[in-house]
Amino acid sequence: MLEAGQSAEVSLTLAATTLGPRTWTVTFPSDDPLRPEVSVAVFSVVEPASACRLTAQPASLRLEQAAQTLTLRHLGPGRCFIRDVALEPTLARAARWSPAAPELPLWLGPGERVTLGLEPVPSTPGQTRGVVRVEPLGAPVLEVPVTVDPATCLVASPSDLDFGTVQAACATPTRFVALYNVCGRPVVVHGARLIGPGGTAPAEFFLTSAPVEGVLSPGQPPLMFGVRYEPLDSGPDSVALVVSSEEGEQVVTLRATGDASSRITVDTFRQGPPPPLVDMLVMVDPSPSFVSKRPAVRANLASLLPGVASACADVRWSFAAADGAPGAPIRRLADDAGVTSFFPQDAGFVEHALAAFDTLPVGSETEACVGPAAELLSSSDGGVRPGARLSVICVTDAVDHSPDPSASLKALRALTPMLFWSAVTGTSTSTCAIEAPDDGTQASLVAATFGNSADVCDAAWWGSFVPLGVSPCGLRSTFYLTTWSAAAVEVRVDGALVASDTAAGEPVWRYDPTQNAVVFESGHLPPGNARVEVSYAWACAP
């Protein structure tokens, strides 16, 4: 049934047994009295294919600022059939086809070649390594290593340094700007200088230390540039720290304010929003054919789970069997203590969660994720917490047998619009034995919810599922002061004075002179949206 304006896609598969041309007519009947049926002519030519003997030139690629080409050549006799040419997931985040993805499949005659273009994604942060996977007929998969370097290798941190307000005739301690090499190649650094307004020499900023000309290699500790501020009078000051290299010039803005009076400074901050609620559900294939893959799944979970123990989100984990057989029980898996939901803040979180995974039953060969997930989470005892975002990971090496994935997706979105569906499945390029590659069901769910995907045969697929839709840390623990240095520090949260220790002597916050910051201890962070005020007296540095 198609409503007005709706469309539907119908896939056709050719199973060829003999060579030569083919012609079919596919007819779609309908209840439209004016056009009771629609016919589509389908043509195909079945050609012979030989075992491929492929070479790649170059054997590896480095993408920096411009597109590079990769040439595939067939050295053997007969025609070579290439089923797929794809960027593996890690590489796909940092590179893209240029000008367009290759049209598949590819046919190459003896000695023929095809040239493909690749270019870096402009927003790639730092170096990324991956492979282009070429899957030919009758030959092993060809993998071409690719390294992606960002357009600019040198990154200065911070790029804007504010010394705050400093009493005249005082000086700040030396603060540092770090210069990092984020590429995979060495970069020559020539030196640094300070430039005041209009190109003049600065009178109140001083470069206390700077490396001489040299090479900054990949993985080497950053080069450190020391800067000091000594105000001569009241008012704002600003200069530029210019670092010269073979890439050109990196400019770091230095700013500060001189003040001739001696006074108490009050810095005001607004704490970030409350941490988000995240409900995690891992659906695992319970079929007998998947039992041999369970140790690898457990190893991936053992690597994934420790990294989610964070105060930045209120995360609840649970596990369930992806059994789609009629009458199969849909429930959360419990550990030995009967616990079915696991929180990273609780002691023994990883052990309890893995214990629940270990209780995974052996069920039927009717694997299904999205249908059972919708049924479980819509039940009275399974639900999604109000206001929570939902992340589901489906782990299987078979196709999803849910009867109506679209309806199940709609039911999940009714629980929360903040839905992320991710999948660890078999693919057409899987290197281990799988029951069947994903037929597109999981891929469409992932695409519709901006989730992540991975190959179930990847020994480290857990790396694709961080941060699972969780936003960066919402609650700050460190509040940097604007004036160097500070003494007689007092802290107020929403107007109430907060002691540095509890009545029992447990530390609440401390002043860190190395960062010139007030640092709250874990468990005592100011609540979301709180107003944090820090008052202090200047301490004049010699």
Side-chain angles (χ1 to χ4, degrees):
M1 173 70 72
L2 291 179
E3 301 293 340
Q6 285 187 336
S7 61
E9 293 185 358
V10 177
S11 60
L12 300 177
T13 302
L14 170 63
T17 57
T18 59
L19 303 179
R22 300 286 191 276
T23 302
W24 299 272
T25 299
V26 181
T27 301
F28 299 94
S30 75
D31 59 358
D32 186 345
L34 299 179
R35 197 175 185 184
E37 63 181 29
V38 176
S39 297
V40 178
V42 181
F43 304 93
S44 177
V45 177
V46 181
E47 299 184 356
S50 304
C52 296
R53 291 179 54 195
L54 285 179
T55 62
Q57 183 63 35
S60 62
L61 279 177
R62 179 178 294 276
L63 303 180
E64 293 181 352
Q65 299 184 27
Q68 302 287 332
T69 58
L70 172 66
T71 300
L72 303 177
R73 185 182 182 189
H74 174 42
L75 301 179
R79 301 192 70 194
C80 168
F81 177 76
I82 300 176
R83 286 182 270 200
D84 193 22
V85 181
L87 310 180
E88 58 98 13
T90 301
L91 180 60
R93 300 186 185 102
R96 60 193 179 195
W97 298 111
S98 175
E103 294 186 6
L104 299 172
L106 296 173
W107 285 91
L108 296 179
E112 286 187 349
R113 63 191 73 194
V114 61
T115 299
L116 310 173
L118 272 177
E119 65 181 7
V121 174
S123 60
T124 300
Q127 189 183 80
T128 302
R129 291 187 175 92
V131 298
V132 175
R133 294 176 57 88
V134 183
E135 184 181 353
L137 179 67
V141 172
L142 176 65
E143 294 189 343
V144 181
V146 178
T147 301
V148 181
D149 282 331
T152 301
C153 291
L154 297 182
V155 175
S157 179
S159 60
D160 190 323
L161 179 56
D162 190 345
F163 287 83
T165 302
V166 182
Q167 185 178 358
C170 288
T172 68
T174 296
R175 299 184 69 177
F176 292 92
V177 173
L179 188 68
Y180 296 87
N181 181 355
V182 298
C183 287
R185 61 179 178 83
V187 179
V188 177
V189 179
H190 301 307
R193 65 190 189 279
L194 295 176
I195 300 177
T200 61
E204 298 173 301
F205 290 86
F206 300 90
L207 194 60
T208 61
S209 63
V212 297
E213 180 171 358
V215 176
L216 184 57
S217 300
Q220 178 181 331
L223 300 181
M224 307 298 292
F225 300 85
V227 187
R228 182 181 176 95
Y229 174 64
E230 299 180 14
L232 300 177
D233 51 22
S234 297
D237 297 301
S238 178
V239 300
L241 170 63
V242 181
V243 181
S244 301
S245 72
E246 65 178 78
E247 292 188 336
E249 293 185 338
Q250 288 268 350
V251 178
V252 177
T253 301
L254 308 178
R255 64 181 83 246
T257 301
D259 194 320
S261 63
S262 178
R263 61 186 177 83
I264 295 293
T265 293
V266 178
D267 290 342
T268 302
F269 309 89
R270 179 66 69 178
Q271 176 62 292
L277 296 178
V278 181
D279 282 354
M280 289 292 314
L281 174 62
V282 182
M283 303 289 295
V284 184
D285 187 334
S287 64
S289 62
F290 196 76
V291 169
S292 62
K293 293 184 176 63
R294 288 192 189 181
V297 176
R298 193 184 197 278
N300 275 274
L301 291 173
S303 298
L304 174 62
L305 291 169
V308 301
S310 168
C312 300
D314 183 352
V315 185
R316 179 181 72 171
W317 280 75
S318 59
F319 301 82
D323 195 337
I330 307 299
R331 57 180 176 82
R332 299 177 188 267
L333 302 178
D335 68 359
D336 293 338
V339 180
T340 58
S341 295
F342 312 97
F343 294 87
Q345 294 80 11
D346 295 342
F349 160 68
V350 175
E351 292 75 10
H352 282 295
L354 292 178
F357 172 81
D358 292 339
T359 65
L360 182 71
V362 176
S364 71
E365 289 288 354
T366 308
E367 301 89 339
C369 280
V370 64
E375 182 180 345
L376 172 63
L377 295 173
S378 299
S379 63
S380 58
D381 61 340
V384 179
R385 290 178 293 175
R389 57 188 74 185
L390 172 63
S391 284
V392 183
I393 303 179
C394 173
V395 185
T396 181
D397 69 347
V399 298
D400 196 300
H401 291 93
S402 300
D404 193 340
S406 297
S408 297
L409 177 62
K410 184 177 180 180
L412 290 172
R413 280 190 165 141
L415 300 174
T416 172
M418 296 178 289
L419 169 64
F420 301 87
W421 185 278
S422 299
V424 183
T425 62
T427 71
S428 60
T429 58
S430 292
T431 56
C432 64
I434 60 173
E435 182 177 328
D438 174 38
D439 61 355
T441 299
Q442 295 298 330
S444 63
L445 294 172
V446 170
T449 61
F450 302 99
N452 297 320
S453 59
D455 190 330
V456 73
C457 298
D458 185 348
W461 54 253
W462 68 273
S464 298
F465 299 97
V466 180
L468 297 166
V470 179
S471 59
C473 187
L475 295 183
R476 296 170 59 184
S477 62
T478 304
F479 296 83
Y480 295 95
L481 307 185
T482 59
T483 301
W484 284 80
S485 299
V489 180
E490 288 187 348
V491 176
R492 285 176 169 79
V493 176
D494 287 335
L497 184 65
V498 178
S500 59
D501 298 275
T502 65
E506 180 183 354
V508 176
W509 61 266
R510 57 186 170 83
Y511 171 68
D512 184 348
T514 62
Q515 301 185 79
N516 192 40
V518 168
V519 181
F520 284 82
E521 301 297 335
S522 176
H524 296 284
L525 302 184
N529 299 318
R531 180 184 176 89
V532 180
E533 296 176 323
V534 182
S535 62
Y536 54 95
W538 287 339
C540 186

